[in-house]
Amino acid sequence: MKNYLKVLMLLFLAAIMLAACGGNEKASGSGEKGNGEQIVLDLSIPEPEGAKYDVAAKHFKEELEKLTNDEMTVKIYYSNALGGEKEVFELMSNNSLDMSIQSAGPMVNWVEEISVFDLPFLLDNREHAHAVLDGEVGDELAQKFEETANVKVLGWVENGFVATSSNKAINSVDDVKGMKIRVQENELQIDAWEEFGAAPTPMAWTEVFTGLQQGVIDGHSNSLATIQTSQIYEVQSHVALLEDRYQPGPIAMSKQSFESLSPEHQEAVVKAAESTVPVGRDANQQKIDEAYDFLVEQGIEITEPDKESFKAIMTPVYEKWGPIIGEDLIEKIRNTEY
């Protein structure tokens, strides 16, 4: 009887040990893996395969594999398969997702200063934007976001400057008066378009195509590349290169996931991200250039509006939002050399 009980006890202890070993494995890549098992980081992008963020994500994956001798890799999830962009930041904040490359827009839910990029015509051009993001301002915003959201920003790629689609030519601010323009659920964007004389209409991105098709909205702002890939050209006839605001695209990672890695693997992740920044930016510009040619071929009329007519009426927006965002931050961006 004693021998029988002893055998049962040994079997019970063995079962506990097996369960404990199995419990250390995760479906996602969060955390170091023992026994030579490859670490797989799950990475979400909002676009389909072949789009600009996919180019960046695949470069990051290849660099990470190279830097770690295949000890680490990445699994890419396309087209918001894991949730919308705000949900993706929330997942990383809770350490339920490792990484993402997507628009910075939802970051304002954690750090209001990031809405500085929604201030119309604050940035002169891409070179100015890159200098801001790669310098003191980009570092400060990344640090605040990490402290507040528990998500690290490893580098900034971009969605770039936005264009405005419509069914009539936009050559000056007078041409947008009364137009129902889709905006994100963003008070600053609403204020800006109201000042332009339009009727800003907050709407989820998933509803935009149908909204344009049915005339619920008259136009929207987005990257030229997105106007192509989302087939907006099928329901709109004109695009204005207004470029009133710029959208950064952070390469972001769950802080807890990052800190669970060994120092060597952390260094590899940082280096892979640094290598990805210029690749991601070049991919965005290439996609924009390709989209421009494609849209012209589709018969879309592309205009370059008189931006000064828009800028001239922006004083009330800056007066309202300057104290909220921070006058010092705005001036620092204006004075950034490039």
Side-chain angles (χ1 to χ4, degrees):
M1 183 69 176
K2 288 182 179 179
N3 288 337
Y4 176 74
L5 290 173
K6 186 175 181 180
V7 170
L8 284 178
M9 182 61 69
L10 288 171
L11 289 171
F12 177 71
L13 291 172
I16 291 175
M17 291 177 66
L18 285 171
C21 291
N24 286 333
E25 298 182 7
K26 296 185 180 182
S28 75
S30 302
E32 287 286 298
K33 299 287 201 306
N35 302 320
E37 184 181 353
Q38 189 181 46
I39 300 169
V40 182
L41 300 177
D42 291 338
L43 188 156
S44 171
I45 65 171
E47 299 175 328
E49 191 166 6
K52 63 181 180 296
Y53 287 144
D54 181 40
V55 174
K58 283 178 176 171
H59 177 84
F60 177 83
K61 176 180 185 293
E62 291 167 3
E63 282 297 303
L64 189 62
E65 290 170 348
K66 186 191 306 181
L67 288 166
T68 63
N69 294 317
D70 286 329
E71 291 177 1
M72 299 183 73
T73 189
V74 171
K75 182 176 181 180
I76 304 169
Y77 292 83
Y78 295 98
S79 302
N80 282 334
L82 303 179
E85 290 173 307
K86 182 173 183 289
E87 293 171 299
V88 164
F89 280 119
E90 289 170 346
L91 288 171
M92 289 187 289
S93 182
N94 297 327
N95 197 36
S96 299
L97 173 66
D98 297 308
M99 298 189 68
S100 75
I101 303 177
Q102 58 181 16
S103 170
M107 294 171 73
V108 302
N109 290 281
W110 289 271
V111 177
E112 194 166 40
E113 290 92 330
I114 293 175
S115 63
V116 71
F117 295 103
D118 286 312
L119 281 172
F121 307 108
L122 177 61
L123 295 164
D124 298 332
N125 49 43
R126 291 180 76 234
E127 291 73 24
H128 186 192
H130 297 166
V132 168
L133 291 169
D134 295 341
E136 183 181 346
V137 171
D139 291 344
E140 288 176 357
L141 294 176
Q143 184 61 36
K144 286 184 179 181
F145 190 66
E146 180 176 337
E147 293 169 356
T148 307
N150 209 34
V151 176
K152 290 184 69 68
V153 174
L154 301 168
W156 302 92
V157 291
E158 63 183 8
N159 196 37
F161 284 99
V162 298
T164 300
S165 73
S166 65
N167 282 322
K168 69 173 187 177
I170 298 174
N171 292 302
S172 76
V173 71
D174 293 333
D175 295 321
V176 303
K177 292 192 184 304
M179 284 181 61
K180 299 188 293 290
I181 297 289
R182 178 264 177 175
V183 295
Q184 296 170 309
E185 294 182 18
N186 180 305
E187 189 179 348
L188 200 164
Q189 290 181 26
I190 293 171
D191 287 347
W193 279 100
E194 284 181 344
E195 205 62 40
F196 292 155
T201 306
M203 181 179 288
W205 171 242
T206 52
E207 301 172 9
V208 170
F209 185 92
T210 303
L212 292 168
Q213 189 177 45
Q214 296 179 350
V216 176
I217 49 176
D218 300 318
H220 93 300
S221 295
N222 219 318
S223 164
L224 275 184
T226 304
I227 290 173
Q228 176 189 2
T229 57
S230 58
Q231 299 179 303
I232 296 295
Y233 59 89
E234 293 183 358
V235 291
Q236 299 263 262
S237 58
H238 292 69
V239 170
L241 303 181
L242 185 56
E243 299 182 334
D244 51 307
R245 58 190 174 87
Y246 173 90
Q247 297 179 328
I251 305 171
M253 185 171 186
S254 159
K255 183 180 179 182
Q256 192 171 337
S257 178
F258 180 82
E259 292 181 346
S260 71
L261 301 173
S262 69
E264 293 77 17
H265 286 162
Q266 288 180 6
E267 183 180 1
V269 166
V270 170
K271 286 185 176 179
E274 289 174 349
S275 171
T276 300
V277 167
V279 172
R281 291 173 180 175
D282 288 346
N284 180 55
Q285 189 57 51
Q286 181 180 341
K287 297 296 182 184
I288 287 174
D289 293 341
E290 291 173 358
Y292 185 100
D293 294 338
F294 175 85
L295 293 172
V296 170
E297 290 172 4
Q298 298 302 308
I300 300 297
E301 182 180 334
I302 299 179
T303 62
E304 296 188 19
D306 173 20
K307 295 180 184 178
E308 294 305 319
S309 67
F310 288 85
K311 293 178 183 180
I313 56 175
M314 281 293 93
T315 300
V317 174
Y318 276 79
E319 287 179 345
K320 174 181 176 178
W321 286 93
I324 297 172
I325 293 171
E327 299 286 0
D328 290 345
L329 175 60
I330 294 170
E331 284 306 305
K332 194 178 290 185
I333 290 174
R334 281 178 171 150
N335 296 328
T336 298
E337 295 183 2
Y338 59 93

